[in-house]
Amino acid sequence: MTDSTTPSAPAEQHSNGSAEKETVTQTSSVRQGGRAGVALGAIAIALVIALGGGLYYHGHQQVASQKALVAQLQSQIDALKAGQSKEDDRLVSSQSALTDQLKSTEQKLDEQRLQLSSQSATLEALQSRVTTIAASDAKVWHLSEADFLVKMAARKLWIEQDIATAVNMLKSADKSLAELNDPSLSEVRQAIIQDINAISGVSQVDFDGIALTLNELSDQIMNLPSASTDWDNTPISKESTEVTTELKDWRQNLQKSWRNFMSEFITIRSRNVPENELTNPLLTPDQDTYLRENLRLKLLIAARAVSRHQGAIYNQSLESVSTWVRAYFEPDAASTKAFLAQLDELSQQSVSLDLPKTLKSLPLLDAAIKARSQNALQSTPAAAPAPAANQEG
C-alpha cells in the first residue's frame, strides 16, 4: 500500500502545472478578446486555483490517512510477528521437552525389554531344569510315596495306637520300594521289615472286650446285696418300760418315760454277726445309693483308662471297687462272688501298650530322598540369575 500511494503527489503537481499554463493562455486570449473576458478569466482562475487547492488538500489528507493506516497495520504486523516468534519459541521448547521425554521413555522400554528377555530366559531354564529332574530320576517319587506311608504308619501307631493299620502301611511302603529294584535301598527295606516285626511283637489285647466287661459290671452294681440289711426287728434293750405307782421309784419311772419318748425317734437294733468277725458299718438308704453310684463311676473311669492305655488309673480304680464291694456288700452272696471273680480277672489284664519309641526306617528314607534330590539338581545346569529390578529416583 505504501508503494501505490506515494507517487500520487507528483501527479497532482503535474496537473496543477498544466492548469496554470492553461490559465496564462486564457488570460492572453482574454486580453486579446476584451476586458469582458478578464473578469471571466479571473473567476475561472480563482475557480481553478480553488479546485486545485481543494484537490491538493484532499490528496494530502488522504495520503496522511493512508500513512497512518499503513503505520497502524505495520504495528499490528510487528505485534503479530512478535507473538508468532514467542509462539514459535514455545513450540520449539515444547517439542524439545517432548523429544527428551520420548527418548527417556524409549530408554526405559529398552531396559524393560532387556529385563523381560532375561526373565524369560531364566524361566525357560527353570522349566528345563524341572523337566530334567522329573525325567531323569523317577525313583524320587517312589521314595516319596514310601516316606509318606511310613509317616502315616507312625501317626497311626503313636496317636491312634492302631497297630494293625500301621503294620499294613509299612508293608505297602516296602512293596513300593521293592518295585524300584534298587540295591542301594536294601538298608531302608531292612529297616522297614524290622519296624514291622517290632510293632507286630506288641501284645494284642482285646481292649474293647475289657471295656465292655467293665460296663457290664457297672450295671450289676445295683443288684448286689448290701451287708447293712442283716439285722432283726427286735430292739436291743429288753428292759421293761412300764411305769410303777410307787413314789420311791420316781427315778426309774423318769428314765423309763424318757426311753419311751426317745424310742419314737431312734431305734437301735441288733445284727446277726458271728463273734469272730468284724462288724461292717451300717449305711443309710441314701448312703447306699451314693456308694453304688461311686462304684459305677469308678468302673467307668477304669473303662476310659482302657481306651487311653493308662494302666495306673485302671488298676487303682479296680482296686477301689474291690475294696468297697468286700466292705459294704454281702460277701457270701452268689452275685457278689461272681462280681468279685470277674473283677479279679480284669485286674490281671494289662492295658498298657509297649510301643516302640521310634521307627528306624524314617531317618533312612529322609536321607535317601535328600541324596536323590541333590544328585538330580547337580546333574542339571544352573539357571541364569534374574537381573535386579531398576530403581527409579
Side-chain angles (χ1 to χ4, degrees):
M1 291 179 67
T2 305
D3 296 336
S4 62
T5 55
T6 304
S8 62
E12 292 178 358
Q13 295 176 0
H14 180 68
S15 63
N16 292 334
S18 298
E20 291 177 354
K21 289 180 182 181
E22 290 177 357
T23 304
V24 174
T25 304
Q26 290 177 2
T27 303
S28 62
S29 63
V30 171
R31 287 176 182 175
Q32 295 174 1
R35 291 181 66 85
V38 174
L40 182 62
I43 293 171
I45 291 171
L47 291 174
V48 170
I49 291 173
L51 180 61
L55 290 174
Y56 177 78
Y57 179 76
H58 178 71
H60 181 70
Q61 291 292 329
Q62 187 154 356
V63 168
S65 177
Q66 290 179 353
K67 286 182 178 180
L69 181 60
V70 169
Q72 183 180 2
L73 293 174
Q74 186 65 37
S75 63
Q76 292 179 358
I77 291 172
D78 293 339
L80 290 174
K81 287 183 178 179
Q84 184 66 32
S85 177
K86 292 182 180 179
E87 186 68 20
D88 291 341
D89 293 341
R90 189 181 67 81
L91 290 175
V92 170
S93 177
S94 299
Q95 185 177 5
S96 177
L98 289 174
T99 302
D100 295 341
Q101 186 176 3
L102 181 61
K103 289 181 180 179
S104 177
T105 304
E106 289 178 352
Q107 183 179 2
K108 291 180 181 179
L109 287 175
D110 292 338
E111 292 176 356
Q112 290 179 357
R113 290 192 190 97
L114 181 60
Q115 183 179 1
L116 182 60
S117 177
S118 177
Q119 291 177 353
S120 299
T122 303
L123 181 60
E124 291 178 358
L126 290 175
Q127 289 178 348
S128 176
R129 191 175 182 183
V130 171
T131 303
T132 304
I133 291 174
S136 61
D137 195 2
K139 296 180 179 180
V140 175
W141 306 110
H142 290 280
L143 285 174
S144 300
E145 180 184 6
D147 181 67
F148 172 77
L149 290 172
V150 172
K151 289 179 179 178
M152 287 299 297
R155 181 181 182 277
K156 288 288 185 180
L157 182 63
W158 294 323
I159 297 179
E160 301 180 13
Q161 296 180 346
D162 189 351
I163 298 176
T165 305
V167 171
N168 291 332
M169 286 185 173
L170 289 175
K171 291 180 179 179
S172 299
D174 181 65
K175 182 179 179 181
S176 179
L177 294 179
E179 293 176 355
L180 294 176
N181 195 18
D182 189 353
S184 63
L185 299 176
S186 299
E187 184 179 0
V188 179
R189 293 191 61 193
Q190 183 65 31
I192 293 176
I193 294 174
Q194 291 178 359
D195 291 335
I196 293 174
N197 294 332
I199 296 174
S200 301
V202 177
S203 59
Q204 297 292 329
V205 180
D206 187 10
F207 298 108
D208 294 336
I210 295 175
L212 292 174
T213 304
L214 290 172
N215 291 332
E216 179 64 24
L217 290 178
S218 175
D219 296 335
Q220 295 178 12
I221 289 294
M222 305 305 296
N223 299 326
L224 293 179
S226 176
S228 302
T229 59
D230 56 347
W231 59 74
D232 54 20
N233 293 326
T234 60
I236 294 178
S237 179
K238 300 296 184 178
E239 297 179 359
S240 174
T241 59
E242 293 182 359
V243 180
T244 63
T245 58
E246 297 293 335
L247 183 61
K248 63 179 181 180
D249 297 332
W250 67 272
R251 291 181 180 274
Q252 291 82 1
N253 292 335
L254 180 61
Q255 292 178 355
K256 292 178 181 180
S257 299
W258 174 252
R259 283 196 295 269
N260 290 334
F261 175 77
M262 292 299 297
S263 64
E264 300 296 332
F265 300 96
I266 300 175
T267 302
I268 301 175
R269 303 180 184 278
S270 62
R271 297 181 58 190
N272 298 324
V273 180
E275 295 181 357
N276 58 348
E277 292 185 6
L278 296 177
T279 303
N280 295 326
L282 296 176
L283 297 177
T284 64
D286 291 339
Q287 291 175 339
D288 184 76
T289 302
Y290 293 152
L291 173 63
R292 295 177 190 272
E293 292 298 330
N294 285 332
L295 289 172
R296 294 186 62 183
L297 179 61
K298 284 291 184 179
L299 291 174
L300 292 177
I301 292 175
R304 188 173 183 180
V306 170
S307 61
R308 295 185 176 185
H309 307 291
Q310 298 172 339
I313 297 177
Y314 173 79
N315 293 327
Q316 183 179 1
S317 299
L318 294 185
E319 183 178 357
S320 298
V321 172
S322 177
T323 302
W324 291 351
V325 169
R326 286 182 168 85
Y328 294 102
F329 294 93
E330 181 61 40
D332 296 331
S335 57
T336 305
K337 291 181 179 180
F339 183 90
L340 291 174
Q342 287 185 334
L343 204 62
D344 293 338
E345 183 179 356
L346 289 175
S347 62
Q348 302 300 323
Q349 295 286 345
S350 175
V351 297
S352 301
L353 282 178
D354 189 14
L355 298 175
K357 303 300 181 181
T358 59
L359 294 180
K360 297 181 180 180
S361 55
L362 274 176
L364 295 179
L365 274 173
D366 291 338
I369 291 175
K370 290 180 180 179
R372 294 297 176 94
S373 300
Q374 290 177 358
N375 293 335
L377 291 175
Q378 293 175 358
S379 63
T380 57
N390 294 331
Q391 297 181 353
E392 299 180 359

